[in-house]
Amino acid sequence: MNRTTTNGPTAHRPMTGDQMTGGPITGGPSGTDRNGTDPSPMGPTATGAHATRPAATRPAAARGGLHVRTVHLARKQHTVVDSPYGPLTVVATDGVLSGLYMTGQRHRPAEESFGERVAACEEPFPEVARQLTAYFAGELTSFDLPLRLEGTDFQRRVWDQLVRIPYGETWSYGKLAAELGRPTASRAVGLANGKNPVGIIVPCHRVIGASGAMTGYGGGVERKVRLLAFEAGARQL
C-alpha cells in the first residue's frame, strides 16, 4: 500500500497548502484599524501577538501593521526513467515522490514546475525506479512508497481510494463514488481521477465506465487498455 506523508514517510495524510508553506502572509495584528493603527489607547488586546510589548519598542514592521510570516519554499527535483509506455517524468517535492507523468499526458504541469532535473541515482528516485521496474516485469503488484499528493481535500480522498483498488481489478466511477460515501458524485470523482498527479503508482487507470467502457485516461486510452491487459495477464501467471 502506498503511504502519504506530511512530515515524514510514515505519516498517512498528504500535505496541504499551509502545512507546506508555513502559512499565508496575513494582515496586521488583531486590534488594528484599516490603516494598521491601534484605535484603542490601551494598545492590542491581551491575546494579540504584541500584547506585552509597548508600541514604541515593537519592530518597525509590526508598528506599520504588516505581520510577515516566514514562507518555506518546497524544493522540487525530477528525473526521467524509461518504461514500456514511454519516458516517465518522476517528480519529488522535498525528497518525497509527488508526481509521475507520461509524455503527452493531459493535465501534465509545465516543465518548469518540476524543478531541477537530476540523475536517477539521487534520492528518492532509485527506489521509485526499482519498484517501477519490478512492476513492469510482473513481479510487483503493490507499491510501497511515501507519497506527497497535492490537491483539494476531495481530490486527495479520491486518490486515497484509488490505491485500494486491487491489482488486476477495475472499479467503475460509481463504485468509487460509493466507496467515498458520495454515490451521486460520479462526475466529480471522474474529474479528480483525471487529475491524479502520480500515474501508475496511484492506479487511476483501474477506473472504468459503468458499462465497462474504457473512458478517458490522462495518459491516453491506448495506454489505459495496455496497462489493464498487462495487469490482468500478469495476475493469471
Side-chain angles (χ1 to χ4, degrees):
M1 184 65 65
N2 298 298
R3 293 170 285 155
T4 52
T5 178
T6 54
N7 296 313
T10 58
H12 180 67
R13 293 185 61 80
M15 284 190 174
T16 60
D18 284 355
Q19 290 173 314
M20 292 183 288
T21 62
I25 295 178
T26 63
S30 58
T32 59
D33 64 14
R34 65 187 297 176
N35 297 315
T37 59
D38 183 5
S40 167
M42 298 302 291
T45 62
T47 58
H50 304 287
T52 61
R53 181 183 295 176
T57 63
R58 294 182 210 159
R63 292 200 303 274
L66 181 64
H67 181 199
V68 180
R69 300 177 65 178
T70 301
V71 175
H72 168 68
L73 298 178
R75 180 175 63 96
K76 284 200 170 187
Q77 295 178 308
H78 76 282
T79 194
V80 178
V81 298
D82 292 329
S83 83
Y85 303 89
L88 302 176
T89 299
V90 185
V91 184
T93 302
D94 288 336
V96 180
L97 179 63
S98 60
L100 189 153
Y101 302 97
M102 299 178 178
T103 56
Q105 180 170 331
R106 184 177 46 181
H107 304 305
R108 179 185 171 111
E111 294 296 314
E112 55 267 25
S113 71
F114 296 151
E116 176 190 9
R117 179 167 178 172
V118 298
C121 61
E122 293 201 22
E123 294 296 337
F125 301 121
E127 181 59 19
V128 176
R130 186 193 69 79
Q131 292 194 31
L132 283 170
T133 298
Y135 166 81
F136 292 130
E139 300 167 355
L140 182 75
T141 61
S142 179
F143 292 93
D144 184 17
L145 293 164
L147 298 175
R148 176 166 167 164
L149 305 180
E150 301 173 12
T152 67
D153 288 342
F154 180 76
Q155 286 174 333
R156 291 196 306 274
R157 287 181 61 205
V158 171
W159 301 336
D160 185 58
Q161 285 296 322
L162 292 177
V163 299
R164 302 172 192 273
I165 304 176
Y167 180 93
E169 297 184 19
T170 58
W171 286 6
S172 69
Y173 292 99
K175 176 174 174 58
L176 183 55
E179 291 292 327
L180 287 168
R182 300 279 300 276
T184 62
S186 296
R187 179 174 175 78
V189 163
L191 292 173
N193 189 66
K195 292 188 176 181
N196 167 33
V198 183
I200 300 177
I201 292 172
V202 178
C204 53
H205 60 277
R206 294 177 190 163
V207 185
I208 61 176
S211 64
M214 297 296 168
T215 52
Y217 175 58
V221 173
E222 181 182 354
R223 285 181 177 135
K224 180 172 185 170
V225 171
R226 288 179 60 197
L227 281 165
L228 291 177
F230 164 71
E231 290 185 352
R235 187 176 183 183
Q236 294 172 2
L237 294 178

